[in-house]
Amino acid sequence: MTDKFYLTTPIYYVNARPHIGTTYTTVVADVIARRKRALGVDTFFLTGTDEHGQKIERSAERAGCSPQAFTDEVSAQFRALWDRMGLTYDDFIRTTEPRHKRGVQKLFALLKERGYIYKGSYTGQYCVYDEAYVDVPPGAPCPECGRPTETINEENYFFKLSAFERPLLEFYEAHPEFIRPETRRNEVVSFVRAGLKDLSISRTSFKWGIPVPGDEKHVIYVWMDALANYITALGWGSDDESKFKTYWPADLHIVGKEITRFHCVYWPAFLMAAGLPLPKSVVAHGWLLFEESKMSKSRGNIVRAETILEVLGADALRYFLLREVVFGQDGSFSFDALVQRYNSDLANGYGNLVSRTLTMIGKYFDGVVPEPAGLQAASLATEIPETVVAVEQQFEALDFSRALERLWTIVAATDGYLTASAPWKQSESLTDEQQRALRATVLYTAAEAIRIVTALVYPVLPDAAAKVWAQLGLGDIQKADLKQVAWGGLKPGTKLGELGPVFPRAEKDAIQKMKEIEEKNAPAAPAEDKVVKAEKPAEEAAAAEHTAVAPKQAEPRHEAGGRGMPAAPAVPATGTVVNPVQEAAAALSGSGDKITIDDFTKVELRVAQIKVAERVPKADKLLRLEVDLGYEQRQILAGIAEAYAPESLVGRKIVIVANLAPRKLRGLESNGMLLAASLEGGKPVLASFLEDVEIGARLK
Ligand code: ME8
């Protein structure tokens, strides 16, 4: 076993407040950190926020504040939540801190000095949402997230990533444990085998980033900036590198599966180029899904950790995330599943076992742990040590779900043992002495089983474990030596502490309560939306919308829907099939070419995401789309087949007129209409957003 352990979470973008997806990774890291510390390992747990880049700059602009004020606010929200949850990070790094900026500039200068950075020019597509260069033709959406990409034509600095193709492959070969799980490893290896192109690592078209040393019109690419946090937080590049010397290389970077490439290709290549040791392992976990799709700020299907903390407490959320989601795979979140798990495993399981055992010790032995007598709880005493070994191995392998499942077999077995032994019954065949001996053995055994479960579950349920430890009369669990949990460690004669409920049964309306809290905070607005809404009274906001949607000039501009709407006028993309905008305009306006705001609000424009796109047989121009509006899925027919290949549309977010009366085309019902720019003699161009928008959001 190593005597130090350095583990990290991704640093989270501050374009939106934390949700239980980001909480998941941070809780997993906290569990690992607590367990390592309990085993006596010198542990350093780092988390933080990723605050630079075009995405954040735009979010701040949208929120109407400076990027610094914006990032200060959202970063503080992350930190406040982690503190409220009692997460035991050792450092929280912000990429806008001087210590980080200094380190990143040093890294850039070092790579340049070592000949790995050169100046060139980049023309290609960029996905602002993923902050990634993508290899697609102009106009095509991002292959990762389906959002529109932007064409960049800039003078940039380049990193010689291509030089690391072979060294990386050799490294993966020599260190199979570097990327886990296996599926992610295979993806990364195939990606590198397919060939690496040099990577653009600076931008000139916006300002919110760390300037390139000596050439300040460039800012350093946000992923190079962000990845470096893992060493700048340890003081690399500062006058005091002692922490770096102690803790680097990282033992474990925990990341979500979507950012594996950045951590397993770019990051080791930067480190190799700098001549620094590489991290020992990167573990990519799956996604937390909500209502079947990835919980994310952009989809607007997030659940906030605060909601669960308020109703069931932090331990309930921690247990659910670790037990219900198989680490490495996607897992679903639902309030029903959460409450069910809580009641079955925590309230009726562990909590009830503790309560009945300790109450009986109170009743029959004046609250003092009895000395077990001759009768042996043979099966439990042999089963438990075996289970302990298995659970420890499963924790070590980060197989939390199975570790907890196995640990709970002790809870169930002990519960069964109590019920079968029925120490509360006075048996007529036993003398008082024998009865007392039986009770002493049964209750000692149950209390000892509880002690063992508690010691092992402490990293997952720190609050509950601390309470139970104190109730067992063992004092402060944080000071306890949990390295060895050998059977028989509980000393008879120990005076129990004050008893109290550990996991009260969830109230009947717990689910309802949580849903109401979420609704109160809905739509699950990105942080920047919250700032805007909080600052603008309703009338003022309505007035602003009025100006935005009814300008004097002919071109409508949808400021409220997002800055990124194309400047070209939005018109329906139904080709020759239908022309409902003219139809709608005629219906709305009886007074020349101007309409009133009331006329406009009759048109319900909404953001929808294309889920299915296919050609309609024998109709050259027509595509059949199935779109998701968040609250429903529907079919729309659109005359865009000559401009868009159906497969390029799946995942893309578009704008639709949602309240158009349905009509039949080629025997198929079309329920709504999508918007696109109709260019003179050209093909229709779909209206879309550069910003992140929720599905179902209304444009007004
Ligand atoms: O990618 N399920 O930041 P980010 C599980 N700043 N985990 C989730 C999740 C979900 N639904 N949603 C988010 C970035 N996560 C960069 C990282 S690191 C040098 C820079 C977790 O705010 C998961 O760990 O988009 C994922 O990788 C991370 O949050 C992405 O956070």
Side-chain angles (χ1 to χ4, degrees):
M1 195 195 301
T2 50
D3 54 357
K4 71 92 189 167
F5 197 83
Y6 176 33
L7 88 158
T8 67
T9 70
I11 48 170
Y12 306 110
Y13 285 129
V14 289
N15 64 326
R17 62 191 174 176
H19 54 83
I20 64 165
T22 39
T23 306
Y24 175 59
T25 317
T26 323
V27 161
V28 167
D30 186 64
V31 169
I32 299 172
R34 283 178 186 267
R35 183 159 164 80
K36 289 286 171 191
R37 290 191 202 106
L39 295 176
V41 179
D42 175 9
T43 303
F44 196 88
F45 162 22
L46 175 71
T47 189
T49 44
D50 188 354
E51 306 186 8
H52 288 129
Q54 206 163 3
K55 174 158 72 172
I56 308 294
E57 189 179 72
R58 286 181 181 173
S59 297
E61 212 172 289
R62 218 173 118 195
C65 50
S66 70
Q68 190 61 59
F70 181 74
T71 56
D72 285 349
E73 181 182 328
V74 185
S75 176
Q77 290 179 13
F78 272 92
R79 197 166 180 155
L81 176 62
W82 302 158
D83 289 343
R84 186 173 165 201
M85 293 187 69
L87 304 187
T88 58
Y89 57 86
D90 293 287
D91 199 352
F92 184 102
I93 187 155
R94 299 184 54 191
T95 56
T96 49
E97 287 175 79
R99 61 171 173 159
H100 175 73
K101 293 188 196 168
R102 209 173 33 229
V104 171
Q105 289 186 324
K106 182 166 171 187
L107 180 65
F108 192 100
L110 179 65
L111 298 191
K112 191 149 180 267
E113 191 186 300
R114 291 169 67 104
Y116 292 109
I117 289 180
Y118 64 93
K119 220 172 193 177
S121 68
Y122 178 82
T123 303
Q125 298 307 110
Y126 191 79
C127 172
V128 176
Y129 181 78
D130 290 333
E131 295 285 13
Y133 298 92
V134 287
D135 200 4
V136 294
C142 169
E144 283 292 318
C145 69
R147 292 174 180 81
T149 54
E150 293 177 31
T151 306
I152 295 180
N153 188 352
E154 283 178 17
E155 179 197 68
N156 288 152
Y157 284 94
F158 279 81
F159 171 69
K160 282 190 189 165
L161 185 62
S162 56
F164 294 93
E165 204 174 296
R166 184 176 288 269
L168 282 170
L169 289 171
E170 283 167 5
F171 176 73
Y172 305 145
E173 182 75 28
H175 300 276
E177 74 294 346
F178 175 65
I179 314 169
R180 285 180 287 166
E182 187 71 21
T183 44
R184 303 277 97 83
R185 184 185 144 74
N186 295 342
E187 278 166 19
V188 168
V189 171
S190 336
F191 176 80
V192 177
R193 276 212 189 112
L196 293 177
K197 286 191 194 152
D198 289 352
L199 179 70
S200 162
I201 48 158
S202 76
R203 300 286 310 273
T204 51
S205 56
F206 67 95
K207 292 256 160 299
W208 185 238
I210 301 176
V212 166
D215 194 356
E216 312 235 321
K217 78 177 196 313
H218 290 257
V219 292
I220 296 172
Y221 175 40
V222 66
W223 269 102
M224 182 177 206
D225 166 347
L227 288 161
N229 91 88
Y230 300 132
I231 56 174
T232 61
L234 298 179
W236 183 83
S238 76
D239 297 339
D240 178 7
E241 291 197 335
S242 54
K243 275 199 200 129
F244 178 75
K245 289 191 180 118
T246 308
Y247 293 109
W248 192 256
D251 294 270
L252 180 60
H253 290 313
I254 306 175
V255 300
K257 64 183 179 184
E258 78 291 354
I259 54 174
T260 320
R261 176 167 32 116
F262 298 97
H263 284 81
C264 298
V265 181
Y266 300 170
W267 181 225
F270 293 153
L271 290 167
M272 281 177 182
L276 294 170
L278 307 195
K280 294 190 189 146
S281 87
V282 176
V283 169
H285 62 68
W287 287 338
L288 217 53
L289 311 174
F290 188 55
E291 288 154 1
E292 307 287 302
S293 60
K294 183 188 175 211
M295 192 178 293
S296 82
K297 38 212 172 199
S298 56
R299 286 200 173 88
N301 64 344
I302 65 167
V303 174
R304 298 174 332 128
E306 289 90 329
T307 302
I308 299 155
L309 302 193
E310 244 164 77
V311 178
L312 295 175
D315 278 3
L317 175 59
R318 293 170 72 99
Y319 183 81
F320 178 85
L321 293 176
L322 276 283
R323 171 67 182 86
E324 194 81 11
V325 182
V326 175
F327 190 65
Q329 294 174 19
D330 290 349
S332 287
F333 176 86
S334 78
F335 288 115
D336 300 74
L338 171 71
V339 170
Q340 207 179 336
R341 250 310 151 210
Y342 176 87
N343 277 337
S344 69
D345 293 15
L346 300 180
N348 298 340
Y350 177 61
N352 184 48
L353 175 67
V354 171
S355 159
R356 65 199 287 225
T357 306
L358 301 192
T359 306
M360 281 192 276
I361 294 181
K363 186 169 170 192
Y364 300 117
F365 296 97
D366 288 333
V368 175
V369 175
E371 178 97 43
L375 301 163
Q376 290 300 315
S379 70
L380 266 188
T382 50
E383 239 171 65
I384 289 178
E386 279 167 24
T387 306
V388 168
V389 173
V391 169
E392 283 175 340
Q393 283 167 352
Q394 281 156 339
F395 268 128
E396 203 53 38
L398 310 182
D399 193 353
F400 307 108
S401 177
R402 277 209 279 160
L404 291 170
E405 188 182 15
R406 185 81 199 255
L407 191 55
W408 252 246
T409 62
I410 301 184
V411 174
T414 310
D415 222 26
Y417 167 67
L418 270 185
T419 305
S421 321
W424 55 89
K425 276 196 197 141
Q426 186 69 48
S427 166
E428 289 184 359
S429 59
L430 297 180
T431 63
D432 282 357
E433 196 61 17
Q434 285 169 325
Q435 180 77 38
R436 192 174 162 79
L438 171 78
R439 275 191 185 132
T441 301
V442 172
L443 293 177
Y444 176 86
T445 304
E448 174 58 347
I450 290 170
R451 184 188 71 88
I452 287 176
V453 171
T454 305
L456 285 168
V457 85
Y458 159 73
V460 180
L461 300 177
D463 292 346
K467 273 191 202 164
V468 175
W469 204 253
Q471 292 187 20
L472 280 169
L474 300 172
D476 182 354
I477 197 164
Q478 300 222 39
K479 297 193 184 128
D481 178 2
L482 303 177
K483 281 196 230 41
Q484 248 128 46
V485 277
W487 178 257
L490 181 61
K491 291 202 175 56
T494 304
K495 174 96 186 94
L496 297 188
E498 201 179 316
L499 306 190
V502 182
F503 287 114
R505 242 189 108 77
E507 287 169 25
K508 278 207 180 67
D509 62 350
I511 296 178
Q512 188 55 27
K513 258 194 199 151
M514 287 188 282
K515 286 186 176 165
E516 277 166 15
I517 298 174
E518 282 294 318
E519 261 161 38
K520 213 166 69 198
N521 292 301
E528 59 267 38
D529 288 348
K530 203 194 78 203
V531 179
V532 176
K533 281 180 195 137
E535 284 171 0
K536 279 195 186 155
E539 278 171 30
E540 201 190 312
E545 281 165 11
H546 186 106
T547 349
V549 296
K552 291 252 173 344
Q553 65 271 43
E555 278 189 10
R557 290 162 64 91
H558 284 265
E559 296 296 339
R563 261 184 72 256
M565 287 284 284
V571 295
T574 45
T576 54
V577 182
V578 273
N579 193 349
V581 150
Q582 279 166 12
E583 202 176 71
L588 288 173
S589 171
S591 55
D593 60 354
K594 301 260 168 55
I595 60 167
T596 67
I597 188 74
D598 290 341
D599 290 333
F600 173 76
T601 50
K602 287 182 192 156
V603 183
E604 192 186 326
L605 297 174
R606 288 196 184 268
V607 178
Q609 188 173 39
I610 300 176
K611 295 287 180 192
V612 176
E614 58 190 28
R615 293 187 187 280
V616 175
K618 299 195 196 116
D620 295 348
K621 292 189 178 162
L622 214 51
L623 289 185
R624 188 187 78 82
L625 308 174
E626 280 173 35
V627 302
D628 184 5
L629 274 161
Y631 52 89
E632 68 175 52
Q633 294 242 4
R634 51 164 85 176
Q635 171 172 287
I636 292 183
L637 299 173
I640 54 170
E642 287 175 335
Y644 291 93
E647 57 280 8
S648 71
L649 291 171
V650 175
R652 188 155 171 170
K653 287 184 182 172
I654 55 168
V655 178
I656 70 161
V657 180
N659 61 341
L660 202 65
R663 53 170 69 206
K664 277 219 165 143
L665 297 165
R666 306 266 172 169
L668 296 167
E669 186 167 282
S670 180
N671 235 315
M673 176 188 85
L674 51 75
L675 297 191
S678 165
L679 306 175
E680 195 86 354
K683 293 181 173 164
V685 178
L686 285 172
S688 51
F689 300 91
L690 298 178
E691 250 75 34
D692 210 1
V693 281
E694 290 159 26
I695 300 174
R698 181 149 186 197
L699 281 81
K700 40 190 184 169

